Amino acid sequence: DRSPSRGLGDVYKRQIFIPDTVDYQSIALVSLLLNSNFSFRLVGNALKENEANLLKSISLCSNRLHYINFESDFIIPHGTLLDLLFKMEDSEHYCFCDSDLFLFKTLDQSTVQLLNQGCIFSSAGRIENDNNAIYSGFKGGATTISPDGKIPLATSFFGVYSRSELNYIMSEYKVGFEQYRQLVQIPSSVQQIIAQLQLKFKMFDTGKLLSVLYHHHGYKNTHQEINGMVHLGGMSGRYLQDLDLSKIQKFNESDIEQKPEELSGPFLNRNSYEISLKKLYGKYFYIYLHYIIGKSPKPMIDIDNPLVSKTIIGLEENISKIYNQAKNNFELTSIINLIEEY
């Protein structure tokens, strides 16, 4: 991982696993291994011994996997961990993706080449968002433009950063991937740039302040959806704690808030309807992935909304297909056996 001459496919993509997610979210890892030539550094964030051992055992199933666990009594903030991982390595590109990111189609060469272009390339939005809309704002992992429409923003679900520019920005301004919720967290030199750009913000979410500084220096920042890449968020929220995986869980219209009227304007902000969809999809597929690995009954859904039903059925089919295809691959079968036996 320390050779600048290595191809992007060989540079480790970092996947961070928080406690109680390794077994079922490893199905997403299986999909990425199956449909790309990427290598992955599997990063444990405050995992307990049993789960850390599972992640380490998974990493031993393939020479495209590497393992590291950050021991801690508390979950380390995601942005802080991304900063630490960046400082630990010196590969030409710094790449990361969420552990709930699936790849249902084989990456073609043109897409792989696209990842090498620009100083930042990001991809993957939210399945609950409007596919035809552009979401703005500094709060939220899926936003791709500032509220005034002038600054491109990288999403935080899948990112490829050229090291030279990222190292310069982080060293020069003493900022990183962290969330910045108060002005006092931000160095004075960066506060001046924010003032010059006349930016109003409630917070800068993961990596958003870096995007602002990239814009300030004229560095290229590209966002584009990758065909077959799906970010299935919401599968590790606090609202999952009361779910009983031993019982059949049923979902209906009461789990979704009313959809608001169409809003005018070039950009959208997340609304309560989309947030309720995130929780619905998160709960449903948290259970469905446990069902796939034999640890829960299959969840049931009774919802008239055709888009929601179509989304769930389509994802179920893709996940099931990936899981069955993986059973014909020795390395991936080894991973499947580990997560089913855990």
Side-chain angles (χ1 to χ4, degrees), residues 56-230:
K56 183 177 182 179
S57 296
I58 289 171
S59 73
L60 297 175
C61 292
S62 171
N63 58 11
R64 293 162 58 196
L65 299 177
H66 184 272
Y67 161 81
I68 183 172
N69 182 42
F70 287 82
E71 296 183 8
S72 173
D73 292 332
F74 304 97
I75 295 175
I76 302 168
H78 187 70
T80 301
L81 200 48
L82 288 176
D83 290 349
L84 289 172
L85 290 164
F86 176 74
K87 296 295 185 182
M88 288 171 60
E89 302 163 5
D90 59 8
S91 54
E92 184 179 2
H93 293 90
Y94 181 62
C95 316
F96 54 84
C97 65
D98 278 8
S99 58
D100 52 11
L101 194 77
F102 289 78
L103 186 61
F104 295 125
K105 295 183 179 180
T106 303
L107 280 186
D108 56 35
Q109 192 56 37
S110 61
T111 301
V112 175
Q113 290 174 352
L114 180 66
L115 305 185
N116 281 293
Q117 297 178 10
C119 304
I120 305 177
F121 175 87
S122 68
S123 191
R126 297 185 184 275
I127 59 172
E128 68 271 15
N129 286 1
D130 185 340
N131 291 332
N132 298 315
I134 299 173
Y135 287 77
S136 69
F138 300 112
K139 181 179 180 180
T143 58
T144 57
I145 198 77
S146 60
D148 60 8
K150 296 179 180 179
I151 303 175
L153 303 176
T155 62
S156 60
F157 310 131
F158 178 91
V160 179
Y161 286 69
S162 175
R163 173 167 292 274
S164 58
E165 290 83 4
L166 180 56
N167 188 58
Y168 171 76
I169 292 292
M170 292 178 73
S171 300
E172 178 71 15
Y173 295 104
K174 306 298 186 291
V175 297
F177 286 96
E178 292 94 347
Q179 294 178 336
Y180 295 89
R181 298 178 180 274
Q182 298 179 347
L183 194 63
V184 294
Q185 293 178 268
I186 301 173
S188 58
S189 60
V190 181
Q191 291 185 30
Q192 293 173 11
I193 293 171
I194 292 172
Q196 291 170 11
L197 296 172
Q198 298 181 329
L199 301 181
K200 296 180 180 180
F201 68 95
K202 293 183 178 179
M203 69 170 293
F204 288 100
D205 221 322
T206 307
K208 300 302 183 186
L209 188 54
L210 292 174
S211 287
V212 170
L213 295 172
Y214 271 58
H215 171 77
H216 178 68
H217 282 271
Y219 295 158
K220 186 177 179 181
N221 186 343
T222 301
H223 175 83
Q224 182 171 316
E225 293 301 311
I226 294 175
N227 189 26
M229 182 174 283
V230 175

Side-chain angles (χ1 to χ4, degrees), residues 3-42:
S3 172
S5 63
R6 295 179 70 175
L8 187 56
D10 296 322
V11 175
Y12 286 114
K13 315 296 179 292
R14 289 139 200 92
Q15 278 196 317
I16 298 174
F17 290 84
I18 61 174
D20 303 320
T21 65
V22 173
D23 55 351
Y24 68 95
Q25 289 197 6
S26 290
I27 300 174
L29 172 65
V30 165
S31 75
L32 289 160
L33 291 168
L34 188 65
N35 286 314
S36 77
N37 69 339
F38 292 158
S39 298
F40 296 90
R41 188 180 299 283
L42 310 181

